Amino acid sequence: MKNLFSDKKTIALLSVPSIVIIAFAILAPLVVSLYFSFMEWSGFGAATFIGTDNYRELILHDGTFYRALLNTFLLMLVTIFLQNPFAFVIAAILTKLKDATSRFLRTIYFIPATLSLVVVTKLWVSIFNPSYGFLNKLLQGIGFQNVQIAWLSNPKTALGSVIWIMVWQGFGWALLFYYSGLMTVPKELEEAAKVDGANKFQLYTKIIVPYMLPVIQSVVVIDVVSSLKQMEMVYLSTEGGPGDLTQFIAVYLYQKAFRYSEYGYGNAISVIFVVLAVFLTVFIQRIFSERSAGKKRVGA
Amino acid sequence: MYRKIGLFALMLILATTVVFAQGAKESGKGETVVLRMGDNIPDRSTGWGAVIERINKEFIEMHPEVKITTESYQDQAWQEKVKIYATANQLPDVMKYWSFSTLLQPLVDGKFVEPLHMDTFKQYGYMAGALEGNVYNGQLYGIPVSADLWVIYVNKALFEKAGVPLPQSWEDIVASVPKFKAQGIIPMVTDGKDGWPLCEMFDNIQQRFSGSFQPVADAIERKARYTDDNFLQTARYIQNLVKAGVFQSDLVTSDYGASRNLFGQERAAMYMMGSWEMGLATDPNFSDSFRDNLDVIEFPVVKGGKGNSDDLLAWFGGNYIVNAKSEHKDLALDYIEYYAKVFPAYAWETQATFPAQKVEARENDTIVAKKLLDIAADAKTTSGTPGLDRSTTAFKETHQDLMRRLMSNIITPEAFVAELDAAAEKAAK
Amino acid sequence: MTRYQTERNAKKTLLAIFLSLFVVAQVFPLLWVASYSLQKSGDLFGPELLKLPVNPVWNNYVRAWFDGKIPQYLTNTLLVVIPSVTLSTVLSFSIAYACTRMQWKLRPVAWFIITIGLTIPIHTTLLPNFIWYNFFGLIDTRIGLIISYVAFSISFNAIIFSGLLTGLPYSMEESAFLDGAKYRHILPSIIAPMAATGFATVGVQTFLNHWNEFIMANTYLMSEAKRTLPFSIIRFQGQYSSDYAVQFACMTLVALPPLLLYFIFNRWIVAGITAGAVKG
């Protein structure tokens, strides 16, 4: 019997195709990227080997790259510390409502998350339009006459506007995750806490949130990863501008390769990006596994 | 659950059938030679696009076995596409492109462009310097199609509404800003997102200060520096124009189409752009009131500056090139020769654009067309290729990027000229 | 009414307002676009905050359908998405099974590769694949796109399946082995049905993701003939960009299929998230 569980042919058949596809479409390209990151190439003609020049330029002199990192980090902060708490609170409220109402609201709240990024971006670009967009009209309507804020062009508002679009789109996912997590909290836990005299606030902070830690962990990891991954929304709206105030790493590497014709440099950004992504993901998971390991020792 | 899956599958089948039925109607029939073309003119129903369609139709009548497919994008997107195509070795057979070294030189160097015979084309009445602008390494590589003059289009009705006379100087324009704003009119629009119009303005205002276009060429060749006074003065001046409210508030995210439409929809009084947009006067997408009130003026002077309004920022940018690796080279070459032969007349007939070849002025030319002919004829000095197109791609991108930052007020004029000069230095290496 | 009851009512009202504000925030942008999609483009510049379509200009949708080249692009999307979703589902199920229920030495290595797939950002493969895929003649092909779509969706889907498969008792296979059954019978007939919700979730979620995908299609596809649905909206730039109403109609049309899908199948989307995030 054990033979069939270790049947080599079946295992190969089941696993090899996936591994091959991932190797071909994801891993091999990373190697290609590494290769080109040491080259100077416009995209056609001959490529010249320049060693670590791209990396040196990138790490030592490229202000835009660091701006992009900063923007990513700001997005993470807003997502984790603003969007997530809202999502959590609303999810908690939803668990207490009648099933039909809860389901209705959940469905509505998730709608933006189903939309293509192209739709979401073009939608908000229209809303933010200084001449005909809804936002300026609203402001004018409530008394700010002659307001013509170019939300996506003005250096003061551009980043906030772009981050708003991203947070708006991702809200539904966070809500859903937290809702699903909250639904798995056993009723006995809540009841026991109530018997012990815990009020609502204590119930949530001392019992439910710790119980939900694995879910929170997943959501935070996803927040981190998706903050890094922002590209389409910026590409289709501000393209990193004004200046580099709304620049993000994935947009920057795309522009360097296809706009500036600095293909090698773009690949160097790409390589650093991979390293950063893997490192951050592992790092966050470590933090959480340490904390939950600690909790486990204390006993739940 | 199975019911839901069944419903979904049914929807999918229905959708697929409807869609395939649509698609089936369009499939071609029989053996044809397909000539692939690409350009930066998405609207085929009017203006330049319509002229091309007319030329295509006549070409197909002369060559019945040929079918022409064209893909069109906005400028920036088209340039990106061409780069991508070149890398993947999938360039179209015939392309509308630009004669600038930043764009054409890499393609020529990569052996993607078919050399053309100067003698074949000399007979088609090109303006002085037009064909020469397309010569690289002693060979002709493209045929110019438009003479590009840098001008300001105006909507006379909006000027009247605001009680403003047509401007002679940029100071006039700054003074008129409050009057326009009071009427809810944007004084001037241009394509700030792509950035290159801002670079043209930079070159032009530089000339209005110093009296010559030469410093730009010198700075590129490192015989002068962008940190020189005339350039610093220009940068300061331009930043002040923005601060005075001359341009649309979303200038740097307003792309070509968006800015053109702001003007066409009569939201803006002035549109800073090139002579190729003379087709605005006959564009059916816009209202009669817009078209009837359209006029064009020379680029204004700077009070106290040495440059005059008949010093013209002008070049021969747009061209057509043939893919050296095309499988239908003969047909492609035939095509562009036919294009060279008929384009000026056809384009002028519908006032679609300002050709690089001589045309006869006609009675019923639009006001804009007549004015442009005059402006071209009256020009005392012309600039030749603008600064941003005289160097490398990286320099052009940096120049555009810096203009956007300057006009978003993110950097100081001093920092602007320093970085621009550094970029020129780097590119010259 | 007692004071307690008034307090409760006040709280309830506040709650209702709070929740409604969020409904507005999430849904209003779409409604705004949909509303103006049925009017004339010029109406957008009017002074009103929101104008409802009194005489709906249905023609905008007809024009969006043709100017946006929706039939062609929709076909292309289907030609890419149906294979990619099918392949991704089958492959991720297979490898999830192999890595959770079968015994082999390289199991942890294989699973590691699967989890790595989650952390690598898509955009880091755009540049190199430009050369890499071109080498294999995969640029401007639907197959190249399908391969990338499948590759990037296997990881998440395999994790969802693994969550569902680990809980099953080994007796399921064992009794089948005793009856002399082979895997090619056991997997589809016995194991797969147990993971039925996983298939539904993976299928729907992957479908949504691939249907909406834009940047890989933008980088790998060249010709007009192969473009996918998101490009319909992109067409409304430049010359057509003054046609705001038609552009809005196009956005509404493109947004509808995933929305409808979501409304019908949202139960499985939730199930997947539970399996993936909460238990995984």
Side-chain angles (χ1 to χ4, degrees):
Chain A
M1 257 190 282
K2 220 178 186 239
N3 289 346
L4 271 178
F5 274 118
S6 3
D7 178 37
K8 293 237 166 83
K9 252 203 294 182
T10 312
I11 292 175
L13 197 66
L14 292 179
S15 59
V16 166
S18 295
I19 302 291
V20 165
I21 287 195
I22 291 185
F24 179 76
I26 303 180
L27 299 176
L30 293 181
V31 176
V32 173
S33 210
L34 190 64
Y35 173 76
F36 276 104
S37 69
F38 296 116
M39 301 276 167
E40 186 180 344
W41 193 40
S42 64
F44 30 71
T48 8
F49 178 74
I50 54 167
T52 56
D53 279 1
N54 284 332
Y55 289 101
R56 241 176 286 182
E57 175 72 30
L58 184 61
I59 297 180
L60 297 175
H61 302 297
D62 198 335
T64 306
F65 175 66
Y66 286 103
R67 177 79 227 187
L69 282 180
L70 177 67
N71 289 342
T72 309
F73 185 63
L74 287 172
L75 174 64
M76 281 184 212
L77 286 181
V78 171
T79 314
I80 297 177
F81 293 108
L82 276 180
Q83 185 217 61
N84 276 5
F86 266 106
F88 191 91
V89 167
I90 298 211
I93 297 177
L94 286 181
T95 56
K96 301 297 176 199
L97 294 177
K98 263 196 304 214
D99 191 47
T101 329
S102 168
R103 187 128 49 90
F104 174 72
L105 286 175
R106 262 185 292 131
T107 312
I108 299 262
Y109 289 147
F110 193 72
I111 288 178
T114 64
L115 301 173
S116 136
L117 293 176
V118 177
V119 172
V120 170
T121 312
K122 293 296 180 190
L123 198 100
W124 281 99
V125 165
S126 295
I127 294 184
F128 283 136
N129 185 291
S131 312
Y132 63 76
F134 177 76
L135 192 53
N136 278 354
K137 279 205 193 160
L138 181 69
L139 291 173
Q140 282 165 6
I142 61 180
F144 294 94
Q145 298 295 2
N146 298 322
V147 89
Q148 275 279 322
I149 303 181
W151 296 93
L152 292 167
S153 315
N154 189 314
K156 299 201 189 88
T157 57
L159 184 60
S161 308
V162 165
I163 288 186
W164 167 260
I165 305 178
M166 296 169 178
V167 162
W168 182 83
Q169 208 260 346
F171 180 78
W173 283 109
L175 180 68
L176 217 49
F177 270 85
Y178 285 134
Y179 179 80
S180 311
L182 282 169
M183 290 304 276
T184 66
V185 174
K187 279 242 148 38
E188 304 87 58
L189 214 59
E190 284 183 58
E191 270 147 37
K194 284 208 191 123
V195 164
D196 286 346
N199 62 26
K200 264 237 173 84
F201 184 68
Q202 287 167 323
L203 172 68
Y204 274 96
T205 51
K206 295 231 160 37
I207 310 276
I208 295 194
V209 168
Y211 186 86
M212 289 268 291
L213 216 53
V215 179
I216 299 181
Q217 168 188 349
S218 303
V219 178
V220 170
V221 169
I222 292 179
D223 287 341
V224 167
V225 168
S226 63
S227 298
L228 281 169
K229 278 193 200 166
Q230 287 304 337
M231 195 272 180
E232 290 88 336
M233 287 195 239
V234 177
Y235 182 70
L236 292 171
S237 59
T238 59
E239 293 202 35
D244 52 18
L245 289 176
T246 62
Q247 193 62 276
F248 278 78
I249 302 179
V251 184
Y252 191 44
L253 67 88
Y254 203 78
Q255 286 171 342
K256 276 289 172 181
F258 296 122
R259 189 83 64 82
Y260 284 72
S261 293
E262 292 179 20
Y263 189 75
Y265 194 78
N267 274 296
I269 302 177
S270 210
V271 169
I272 302 241
F273 188 27
V274 174
V275 170
L276 201 67
V278 174
F279 175 73
L280 263 176
T281 318
V282 169
F283 180 67
I284 301 263
Q285 291 195 315
R286 277 285 159 77
I287 294 187
F288 273 101
S289 60
E290 272 169 20
R291 291 193 69 192
S292 60
K295 289 273 186 269
K296 278 197 188 118
R297 274 197 293 269
V298 168
Chain B
M1 176 176 93
Y2 291 115
R3 221 170 353 131
K4 279 207 179 146
I5 294 182
L7 179 67
F8 178 61
L10 188 66
M11 270 173 22
L12 209 59
I13 294 174
L14 275 174
T16 320
T17 323
V18 165
V19 155
F20 272 118
Q22 263 283 349
K25 283 187 214 152
E26 298 182 27
S27 58
K29 33 181 184 236
E31 280 303 331
T32 45
V33 173
V34 176
L35 268 187
R36 274 181 63 214
M37 303 197 185
D39 59 40
N40 61 334
I41 307 173
D43 190 347
R44 316 302 277 188
S45 57
T46 166
W48 197 332
V51 172
I52 301 179
E53 289 301 314
R54 178 179 172 187
I55 296 179
N56 289 357
K57 197 159 150 242
E58 292 175 9
F59 187 76
I60 289 177
E61 276 161 24
M62 302 187 314
H63 301 266
E65 76 284 9
V66 170
K67 184 172 145 144
I68 296 180
T69 60
T70 314
E71 42 185 321
S72 313
Y73 303 86
Q74 285 200 100
D75 281 22
Q76 185 71 25
W78 173 231
Q79 288 171 21
E80 270 179 47
K81 259 286 130 89
V82 168
K83 286 186 201 166
I84 290 175
Y85 278 147
T87 315
N89 218 337
Q90 296 209 344
L91 286 168
D93 302 299
V94 172
M95 289 167 277
K96 180 170 183 302
Y97 211 54
W98 289 270
S99 61
F100 306 136
S101 63
T102 46
L103 291 170
L104 193 52
Q105 182 96 53
L107 287 185
V108 167
D109 290 341
K111 305 217 193 314
F112 290 102
V113 193
E114 180 70 11
L116 305 168
H117 294 290
M118 188 70 99
D119 298 327
T120 316
F121 292 96
K122 270 205 180 130
Q123 54 177 304
Y124 293 116
Y126 285 95
M127 287 161 68
L131 283 170
E132 287 72 12
N134 280 279
V135 169
Y136 286 94
N137 313 332
Q139 270 276 26
L140 179 67
Y141 279 101
I143 52 158
V145 285
S146 55
D148 307 323
L149 323 174
W150 197 241
V151 293
I152 313 261
Y153 294 91
V154 296
N155 183 328
K156 286 185 295 205
L158 293 183
F159 272 87
E160 265 170 49
K161 186 170 170 198
V164 175
L166 291 185
Q168 307 272 24
S169 68
W170 284 95
E171 283 72 16
D172 291 341
I173 295 181
V174 170
S176 68
V177 168
K179 293 204 182 128
F180 280 123
K181 292 245 163 101
Q183 301 289 329
I185 300 172
I186 304 172
M188 185 183 295
V189 290
T190 192
D191 171 11
K193 187 171 193 197
D194 292 325
W196 57 266
L198 311 179
C199 301
E200 314 290 7
M201 180 172 69
F202 181 76
D203 279 9
N204 213 342
I205 295 214
Q206 187 285 133
Q207 192 278 340
R208 292 299 189 251
F209 271 112
S210 72
S212 163
F213 286 110
Q214 191 56 34
V216 171
D218 288 342
I220 300 281
E221 287 168 38
R222 311 313 288 151
K223 294 185 196 146
R225 294 271 180 281
Y226 274 110
T227 43
D228 294 340
D229 270 344
N230 50 336
F231 291 112
L232 183 56
Q233 204 175 17
T234 307
R236 273 208 200 102
Y237 194 79
I238 291 180
Q239 196 169 65
N240 286 332
L241 287 179
V242 176
K243 286 185 187 158
V246 169
F247 296 99
Q248 74 261 50
S249 59
D250 58 344
L251 177 67
V252 292
T253 53
S254 210
D255 69 11
Y256 194 92
S259 53
R260 183 177 184 276
N261 279 307
L262 275 176
F263 185 61
Q265 302 265 348
E266 304 183 79
R267 320 271 312 156
M270 293 174 273
Y271 178 44
M272 178 172 65
M273 201 34 76
S275 50
W276 59 83
E277 279 296 351
M278 61 183 263
L280 279 168
T282 49
D283 191 337
N285 285 320
F286 300 129
S287 62
D288 283 335
S289 73
F290 168 75
R291 295 199 301 266
D292 293 339
N293 283 291
L294 189 64
D295 202 343
V296 62
I297 59 173
E298 288 150 330
F299 192 86
V301 298
V302 165
K303 281 215 173 103
K306 301 202 186 101
N308 299 314
S309 57
D310 50 13
D311 295 316
L312 196 53
L313 188 71
W315 65 93
F316 299 97
N319 66 0
Y320 264 80
I321 59 177
V322 170
N323 182 3
K325 307 192 177 163
S326 162
E327 290 169 354
H328 312 291
K329 234 190 282 193
D330 290 333
L331 273 172
L333 289 168
D334 277 349
Y335 179 86
I336 62 163
E337 200 184 329
Y338 187 63
Y339 198 108
K341 187 166 154 200
V342 300
F343 181 75
Y346 289 1
W348 200 251
E349 203 175 297
T350 56
Q351 311 272 272
T353 192
F354 204 83
Q357 296 148 278
K358 303 204 176 67
V359 287
E360 293 290 319
R362 305 167 316 158
E363 264 300 314
N364 50 348
D365 281 346
T366 60
I367 298 177
V368 169
K370 288 185 184 147
K371 270 282 187 60
L372 284 172
L373 279 176
D374 288 341
I375 292 178
D378 291 345
K380 289 247 166 46
T381 67
T382 56
S383 63
T385 309
L388 84 161
D389 294 309
R390 282 176 183 251
S391 181
T392 62
T393 315
F395 175 75
K396 174 179 161 182
E397 289 297 327
T398 308
H399 195 342
Q400 289 171 183
D401 188 50
L402 284 171
M403 287 306 307
R404 285 191 295 257
R405 288 180 200 230
L406 180 73
M407 296 178 76
S408 298
N409 233 323
I410 302 180
I411 56 175
T412 63
E414 290 78 12
F416 169 85
V417 293
E419 287 192 43
L420 188 59
D421 198 63
E425 184 69 31
K426 189 170 171 203
K429 289 208 164 64
Chain C
M1 238 191 325
T2 64
R3 198 183 128 189
Y4 173 65
Q5 279 172 318
T6 355
E7 247 185 56
R8 278 203 73 187
N9 281 347
K11 274 195 187 154
K12 269 194 182 170
T13 328
L14 268 177
L15 198 64
I17 295 180
F18 181 63
L19 289 174
S20 310
L21 275 176
F22 261 87
V23 168
V24 168
Q26 294 292 84
V27 163
F28 183 75
L30 267 175
L31 291 178
W32 181 75
V33 160
S35 170
Y36 278 103
S37 73
L38 285 170
Q39 302 181 47
K40 287 187 293 192
S41 296
D43 288 340
L44 203 52
F45 288 93
E48 312 91 348
L49 203 53
L50 174 68
K51 199 170 157 198
L52 288 174
V54 177
N55 292 316
V57 183
W58 294 106
N59 193 47
N60 287 339
Y61 278 82
V62 175
R63 287 179 54 204
W65 180 265
F66 289 111
D67 288 346
K69 282 202 172 169
I70 290 187
Q72 295 93 315
Y73 293 173
L74 182 60
T75 316
N76 285 326
T77 294
L78 286 170
L79 286 174
V80 167
V81 169
I82 294 178
S84 71
V85 171
T86 317
L87 207 58
S88 176
T89 311
V90 170
L91 287 184
S92 54
F93 173 73
S94 306
I95 197 160
Y97 183 83
C99 285
T100 51
R101 301 180 72 76
M102 302 196 78
Q103 325 272 43
W104 41 306
K105 257 191 297 180
L106 289 176
R107 195 168 95 168
V109 176
W111 195 245
F112 179 70
I113 295 182
I114 296 293
T115 44
I116 282 280
L118 270 182
T119 57
I120 308 280
I122 295 173
H123 310 99
T124 58
T125 61
L126 291 176
L127 299 189
N129 269 341
F130 207 64
I131 305 299
W132 181 240
Y133 275 11
N134 194 34
F135 184 70
F136 292 95
L138 289 172
I139 291 286
D140 202 29
T141 61
R142 295 191 192 97
I143 296 196
L145 209 55
I146 292 174
I147 293 178
S148 267
Y149 283 5
V150 171
F152 278 104
S153 52
I154 287 183
S155 302
F156 186 74
N157 293 344
I159 291 178
I160 292 189
F161 277 125
S162 76
L164 284 168
L165 289 172
T166 35
L168 298 175
Y170 284 100
S171 54
M172 307 216 63
E173 291 98 324
E174 281 163 4
S175 46
F177 294 157
L178 277 175
D179 290 342
K182 294 288 178 170
Y183 262 120
R184 65 167 177 274
H185 170 75
I186 295 177
L187 280 179
S189 321
I190 302 179
I191 307 290
M194 300 303 297
T197 53
F199 277 97
T201 306
V202 161
V204 171
Q205 263 184 358
T206 315
F207 191 92
L208 265 181
N209 289 336
H210 293 183
W211 182 279
N212 286 333
E213 205 282 330
F214 172 69
I215 198 62
M216 284 195 267
N218 189 51
T219 314
Y220 301 151
L221 293 177
M222 314 262 112
S223 37
E224 188 57 25
K226 301 221 171 72
R227 291 201 164 153
T228 50
L229 202 54
F231 287 91
S232 299
I233 306 177
I234 306 289
R235 284 178 68 77
F236 290 92
Q237 272 171 186
Q239 217 62 32
Y240 289 125
S241 74
S242 63
D243 253 329
Y244 301 114
V246 180
Q247 183 182 19
F248 286 179
C250 187
M251 288 194 320
T252 316
L253 279 177
V254 172
L256 273 177
L259 259 180
L260 285 174
L261 202 73
Y262 165 64
F263 283 136
I264 300 177
F265 291 103
N266 74 48
R267 192 164 301 167
W268 283 291
I269 298 179
V270 177
I273 293 172
T274 313
V278 180
K279 295 185 187 149

